[in-house]
């Protein structure tokens, strides 16, 4: 493609840094919103239609809003849809009825002296009362999530326990209502990423959780002795495994390194909430990149829609990125010193590595990091460096790291020196090399974290002579690095075996020492009580060479 001129990239960069919003775009799946006045739900119903004709002509679209989720998840001969009637708070009077409570069940919740509950399809009961002007008593948001393991991490939302009574097959994840009362609280500003008092900053990289709608299936787990376990529910195992690591490591940031979701799932939102809920519960900031499976499937939400959902959630640091740059989710965050100063000691870059493509070279083949992304990264990196130099911070060792899902071709180089882990499968990256790696070297990135290949969990370094063409002007030796590290598969819903061999699920920890410009890394692995494959990667901002790197 044609390279973007510098002016365009500067414009894109300004869009990214200035408008990355402290206010969030509404989710594609948002049932309600509050603008100048809050929207109040006045009634609800469920409609049924043929799966070949999902029209709901019996309901006036000017009065009823359909939540675009088939309650049968497209598995039945008919569709079912939740509809809500709504009104602006400013238009309501004391004569208007609004919903103040919702229940689900076979029995009428009214007691002997009160029969004010009204029945609706699907076992729904609504309590409607005259509007009093107090929207804390009124229902202002209504949505649907699916599965016995569904969670709703959104503030003020409460997921109902009983599922709707729709006579759906037992294998279909049950539809459950989730309800919000009152005016939505504004989303807080993004927290600044800062070093701890001892100068450290810890990142937990979680790769390939492969969450689904419902509990999912794991077919390749092992016990502590390496014995094969029978088929089990996948997502509850993933949540438990990751929760233990979060509590143990207490990271300052979680990087979700792609394939948060499995392919071909019927409700993206339910699965996505399960990924981030453990982070929100623990007040841990998180930054995601997308993988090739995240938006695969007939009913999957687009990357832009997923980014909008994530952007609305607490502790999310995700950003859509400049529209002029290929992909969704090209952005960066700086990590500052422990004090309130604006001294940036590290920069974390995040990239959309796109997805699978048709190719005559190999199958599967994958898209590559585009020229517009490379130019955006190069411009951003140099602009940030100039800003540090202007501020007199040039003498501090600065660390730059990059995260993406699909590995760059250099991960598969036969000369790669592997440390602290194993190559359990071939690196499945793009067959076309756009030389993004070269840009990383030129800009002094010291480490890259990726996912995608679940059976790989190593860190690797190309020999110094491989970077000969990137020797700096007047330099005596070619640059060394960056380290190329895999996270290893974290989720029980994704494959955990390759070529007949099973692997434990694992995550990668990155510990940045921002006082001395150092990086250590290790893995947290199922059943292991101690750190696994701990490595020192960088010291005083310089990549540490393995003994075989000469």
């Amino acid at each position: 493609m044609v390279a973007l001129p510098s002016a365009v990239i500067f414009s894109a960069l300004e869009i990214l840094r200035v408008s990355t919003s402290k206010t969030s775009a509404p989710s594609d799946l948002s049932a309600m919103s509050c603008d100048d006045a809050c929207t109040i739900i006045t009634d609800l119903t469920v409609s049924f239609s043929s799966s070949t004709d999902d029209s709901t002509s019996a309901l006036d679209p000017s009065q009823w809003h359909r939540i675009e989720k088939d309650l049968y998840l497209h598995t039945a001969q008919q569709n079912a849809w939740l509809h809500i009637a709504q009104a602006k708070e400013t238009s309501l009077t004391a004569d208007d009825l609004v919903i103040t409570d919702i229940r689900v069940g076979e029995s009428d919740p009214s007691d002997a002296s009160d029969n004010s509950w009204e029945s609706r399809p699907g076992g729904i009961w609504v309590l409607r009362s005259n509007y009093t002007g107090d929207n804390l008593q009124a229902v202002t948001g209504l949505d649907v999530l699916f599965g016995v393991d569904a969670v709703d991490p959104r503030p003020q939302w409460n997921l109902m326990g009983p599922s709707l009574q729709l006579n759906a097959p037992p294998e279909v994840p049950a539809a459950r209502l989730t309800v919000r009362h009152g005016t939505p609280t504004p989303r807080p500003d993004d927290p600044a990423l800062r070093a701890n008092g001892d100068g450290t900053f810890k990142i937990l990289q979680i790769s390939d959780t492969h969450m689904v709608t419902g509990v999912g299936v794991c077919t390749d787990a092992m016990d502590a002795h390496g014995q094969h376990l029978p088929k089990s529910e996948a997502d509850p195992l993933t949540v438990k495994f990751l929760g233990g690591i979060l509590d143990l490591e207490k990271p300052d940031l979680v990087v979700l390194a792609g394939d948060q979701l499995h392919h071909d799932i019927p409700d993206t939102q339910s699965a996505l909430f399960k990924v981030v809920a453990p982070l929100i519960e623990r007040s841990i900031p998180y930054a995601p990149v997308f993988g090739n499976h995240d938006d695969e499937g007939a009913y999957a939400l687009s990357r832009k829609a997923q980014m909008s959902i994530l952007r609305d959630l607490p502790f999310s640091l995700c950003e859509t990125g400049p529209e002029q740059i290929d992909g969704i989710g090209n952005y960066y965050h700086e990590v500052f010193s422990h004090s309130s100063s604006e001294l940036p000691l590290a920069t974390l870059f995040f990239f959309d590595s796109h997805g699978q493509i048709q190719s005559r070279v190999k199958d599967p083949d994958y898209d590559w990091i585009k020229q517009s992304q490379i130019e955006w990264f190069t411009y951003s990196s140099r602009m940030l460096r100039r800003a540090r130099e202007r501020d007199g911070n040039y003498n501090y060792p600065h660390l730059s790291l990059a995260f993406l899902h699909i590995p760059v071709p250099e991960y598969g180089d036969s000369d790669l020196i592997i440390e602290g882990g194993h190559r359990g499968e071939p690196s499945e990256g793009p067959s076309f090399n756009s030389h993004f790696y070269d840009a990383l070297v030129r800009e002094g990135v010291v480490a890259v974290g990726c996912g995608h290949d679940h059976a790989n969990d190593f860190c690797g370094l190309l020999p110094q002579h491989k970077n000969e063409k990137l020797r700096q002007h007047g330099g005596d030796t070619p640059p060394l690095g960056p380290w190329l590290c895999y996270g290893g598969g974290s989720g029980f819903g994704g494959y955990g075996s390759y070529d007949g061999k099973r692997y434990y699920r694992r995550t990668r920890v990155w510990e940045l020492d921002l006082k001395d410009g150092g990086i250590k890394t290790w893995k947290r692995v199922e059943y292991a009580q101690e750190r696994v494959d701990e490595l020192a990667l960088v010291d005083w901002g310089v990549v540490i060479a393995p003994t075989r790197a000469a």
Side-chain angles (χ1 to χ4, degrees):
M1 65 179 292
V2 177
L4 294 180
S6 298
V8 172
I9 291 186
F10 178 79
S11 174
L13 182 63
E14 288 305 301
I15 291 172
L16 175 59
R17 299 312 299 174
V18 174
S19 71
T20 42
S21 68
K22 305 303 181 182
T23 59
S24 306
S27 163
D28 285 7
L29 294 175
S30 176
M32 300 286 87
S33 63
C34 285
D35 299 316
D36 295 331
C38 193
T39 304
I40 307 292
I41 298 181
T42 59
D43 204 354
L44 67 85
T45 191
V46 175
S47 71
F48 299 86
S49 62
S50 165
S51 60
T52 58
D53 179 15
D54 67 355
S55 63
T56 52
S57 56
L59 296 174
D60 184 348
S62 67
Q63 298 181 19
W64 293 94
H65 167 76
R66 188 174 91 173
I67 296 178
E68 295 300 323
K69 295 184 178 184
D70 175 20
L71 302 180
Y72 291 113
L73 292 175
H74 311 283
T75 62
Q77 296 298 314
Q78 63 177 346
N79 297 329
W81 307 95
L82 180 66
H83 300 258
I84 53 178
Q86 54 193 1
K88 286 288 187 183
E89 186 178 10
T90 51
S91 70
L92 293 170
T93 70
D95 294 328
D96 292 312
L97 293 175
V98 299
I99 296 180
T100 57
D101 201 359
I102 301 173
R103 306 279 178 86
V104 175
E106 295 180 1
S107 303
D108 185 345
S110 303
D111 57 33
S113 61
D114 177 18
N115 60 355
S116 56
W117 286 87
E118 305 172 38
S119 176
R120 298 292 184 268
I124 301 173
W125 296 87
V126 299
L127 182 63
R128 297 200 297 165
S129 307
N130 290 99
Y131 180 61
T132 64
D134 181 6
N135 65 27
L136 291 177
Q137 304 300 318
V139 172
T140 59
L142 191 63
D143 206 346
V144 184
L145 299 174
F146 296 86
V148 296
D149 63 334
V151 291
D152 195 337
R154 295 174 291 185
Q156 299 175 260
W157 288 81
N158 292 294
L159 179 64
M160 302 186 71
S163 59
L164 299 183
Q165 297 171 10
L166 301 168
N167 297 317
E171 65 272 13
V172 177
R176 299 164 62 187
L177 296 183
T178 182
V179 182
R180 183 187 65 209
H181 285 79
T183 304
T185 56
R187 183 187 183 278
D189 290 347
D190 292 342
L193 299 178
R194 293 193 177 277
N196 297 300
D198 62 357
T200 62
F201 185 85
K202 186 184 290 184
I203 301 169
L204 177 65
Q205 177 184 333
I206 297 174
S207 306
D208 298 275
T209 51
H210 282 267
M211 294 287 196
V212 298
T213 311
V215 295
V217 178
C218 177
T219 60
D220 54 9
M222 296 186 291
D223 65 16
H225 306 289
Q227 299 300 307
H228 293 188
L229 292 173
K231 184 186 301 185
S232 57
E233 295 179 346
D235 289 1
L237 287 176
T238 300
V239 171
K240 181 179 179 181
F241 169 59
L242 296 178
I245 295 173
L246 292 169
D247 292 338
L248 177 65
E249 291 289 356
K250 296 179 172 55
D252 302 298
L253 174 71
V254 166
V255 172
L256 299 170
D259 280 2
Q260 282 75 252
L261 311 184
H262 204 52
H263 57 82
D264 297 298
I265 61 175
D267 187 59
T268 296
Q269 188 183 31
S270 295
L272 201 56
F273 280 178
K274 291 191 293 185
V275 176
V276 299
L279 312 178
I280 295 171
E281 290 168 5
R282 293 166 173 84
S283 302
I284 301 173
Y286 55 95
V289 295
F290 288 120
N292 51 296
H293 290 309
D294 284 311
D295 59 348
E296 282 185 342
Y299 304 108
L301 289 179
S302 69
R303 296 183 180 208
K304 189 172 184 179
Q306 291 185 46
M307 192 65 82
S308 182
I309 289 174
L310 290 168
R311 186 66 198 157
D312 280 344
L313 295 174
F315 303 103
S316 171
L317 299 181
C318 69
E319 298 174 4
T320 302
E323 292 185 1
Q324 297 93 329
I325 309 303
D326 288 277
I328 301 294
N330 301 295
Y331 59 104
Y332 64 82
H333 284 288
E334 296 179 286
V335 183
F336 298 94
S337 63
H338 175 64
S339 65
S340 59
S341 77
E342 294 302 307
L343 172 62
L345 299 177
T347 306
L348 312 176
F349 290 94
F350 304 90
F351 298 92
D352 185 351
S353 56
H354 314 294
Q356 190 170 333
I357 60 172
Q358 291 185 337
S359 169
R360 295 181 180 180
V361 179
K362 65 176 185 176
D363 185 23
D365 201 353
Y366 298 92
D367 214 345
W368 52 89
I369 299 295
K370 305 296 185 178
Q371 184 65 27
S372 67
Q373 294 173 281
I374 295 172
E375 294 199 14
W376 166 81
F377 160 69
T378 301
Y379 181 90
S380 301
S381 174
R382 294 177 181 178
M383 184 202 69
L384 294 170
R385 184 182 301 113
R386 288 194 297 269
R388 294 194 299 272
E389 293 171 357
R390 283 197 307 269
D391 294 340
N393 301 326
Y394 187 66
N395 292 327
Y396 286 87
H398 186 87
L399 300 174
S400 292
L401 293 84
F403 296 94
L404 71 171
H405 179 68
I406 298 173
V408 294
E410 284 75 10
Y411 272 82
D413 194 298
S414 58
D415 290 330
L416 192 71
I417 302 167
I418 292 177
E419 296 279 318
H422 306 279
R423 185 188 292 280
E425 62 178 304
S427 291
E428 287 288 354
S431 60
F432 176 76
N433 193 332
S434 63
H435 300 290
F436 177 48
Y437 173 86
D438 296 353
L440 296 172
V441 174
R442 290 191 182 99
E443 292 308 308
V445 170
V446 292
V448 181
C450 81
H452 189 56
D453 301 319
H454 304 190
N456 292 339
D457 62 0
F458 62 82
C459 285
L461 197 67
L462 285 176
Q464 205 159 10
H465 69 82
K466 283 279 187 172
N467 292 341
E468 179 66 36
K469 63 181 178 180
L470 303 173
R471 183 196 301 267
Q472 299 297 319
H473 178 70
D476 295 330
T477 59
L480 185 62
W483 283 97
L484 304 176
C485 297
Y486 277 103
S490 302
F492 289 81
Y495 70 90
S497 59
Y498 189 86
D499 200 20
K501 182 179 180 180
R502 295 191 182 189
Y503 297 88
Y504 288 121
R505 270 65 181 185
R506 51 235 191 270
T507 63
R508 178 167 296 282
V509 180
W510 304 82
E511 186 177 71
L512 282 57
D513 182 348
L514 299 178
K515 299 192 314 299
D516 300 322
I519 299 178
K520 292 181 180 178
T521 187
W522 59 87
K523 297 191 293 285
R524 286 295 181 182
V525 182
E526 280 186 272
Y527 305 111
Q529 300 299 312
E530 305 296 331
R531 300 174 177 181
V532 176
D533 293 330
E534 184 169 358
L535 291 172
L537 304 180
V538 178
D539 183 44
W540 200 250
V542 178
V543 169
I544 299 173
T547 55
R548 297 180 291 134

